[in-house]
Amino acid sequence: MQGAESLRRTSKRILVVEDNELNMKLLNDVLEAHGFEVLSTSRGKVAVDWAHQHRPDLILMDLQLPDLSGLDATRQLKADEATSAIPIIAVTAFAMAGDEKKALDHGCDAYVAKPIVLRDFLDLIDRFIGIPKHPTQG
Ligand code: MN
């Protein structure tokens, strides 16, 4: 049910783990425009802590991070029953052949390749947790 309530405030929360500032801003802006509450960090270790503290509905996980890799962070989250049910979508660099398989092998539920195609990206999120708000197009 879409209503005034969902336009004002959503309970759907996405944790964005991304160390590239431009990508992070793009993802935050797009997700907030679609009604999500967004938490973001560039650090894998922080992501693991925040997944426990804030219980996001979904995690977007860049695989190349400065500290703990996105793959290791994913493996930790999926090995812990407190966080194993949170869907994790890996964000993989365009040129890194084989990253998609690695991401799935480490427990990611899906992946998107950079550069991100927004429509496909939003369709994927919609399949996992639904999209709270659809801004008017054009
Ligand atoms: Mn990165």
Side-chain angles (χ1 to χ4, degrees):
M1 287 273 277
Q2 296 286 335
E5 187 68 41
S6 67
L7 296 178
R8 198 162 55 237
R9 187 72 185 170
T10 176
S11 60
K12 288 185 182 171
R13 183 179 288 172
I14 296 183
L15 173 57
V16 176
V17 191
E18 169 62 81
D19 64 320
N20 177 290
E21 275 183 44
L22 284 177
N23 281 336
M24 185 188 276
K25 181 167 177 10
L26 170 73
L27 293 169
N28 287 4
D29 288 352
V30 167
L31 293 171
E32 283 175 358
H34 286 79
F36 290 104
E37 181 187 338
V38 181
L39 296 168
S40 48
T41 177
S42 60
R43 303 281 164 170
K45 286 175 185 159
V46 174
V48 173
D49 287 347
W50 284 7
H52 284 89
Q53 285 172 35
H54 301 290
R55 299 304 168 98
D57 297 288
L58 182 131
I59 299 172
L60 288 177
M61 185 72 80
D62 181 26
L63 295 186
Q64 284 83 39
L65 297 169
D67 59 343
L68 188 61
S69 83
L71 291 175
D72 289 334
T74 297
R75 195 166 43 202
Q76 287 187 19
L77 290 167
K78 290 298 184 181
D80 186 332
E81 68 180 23
T83 51
S84 62
I86 303 170
I88 300 179
I89 298 178
V91 180
T92 66
F94 178 67
M96 302 296 281
D99 265 9
E100 289 86 356
K101 183 178 186 311
K102 245 186 283 177
L104 299 178
D105 286 348
H106 281 72
C108 291
D109 297 277
Y111 58 84
V112 290
K114 292 180 191 175
I116 289 171
V117 178
L118 284 182
R119 182 172 300 180
D120 296 345
F121 172 69
L122 289 167
D123 283 348
L124 187 59
I125 290 178
D126 196 20
R127 287 213 299 275
F128 278 99
I129 59 171
I131 292 184
K133 174 181 161 186
H134 293 272
T136 316
Q137 298 296 312

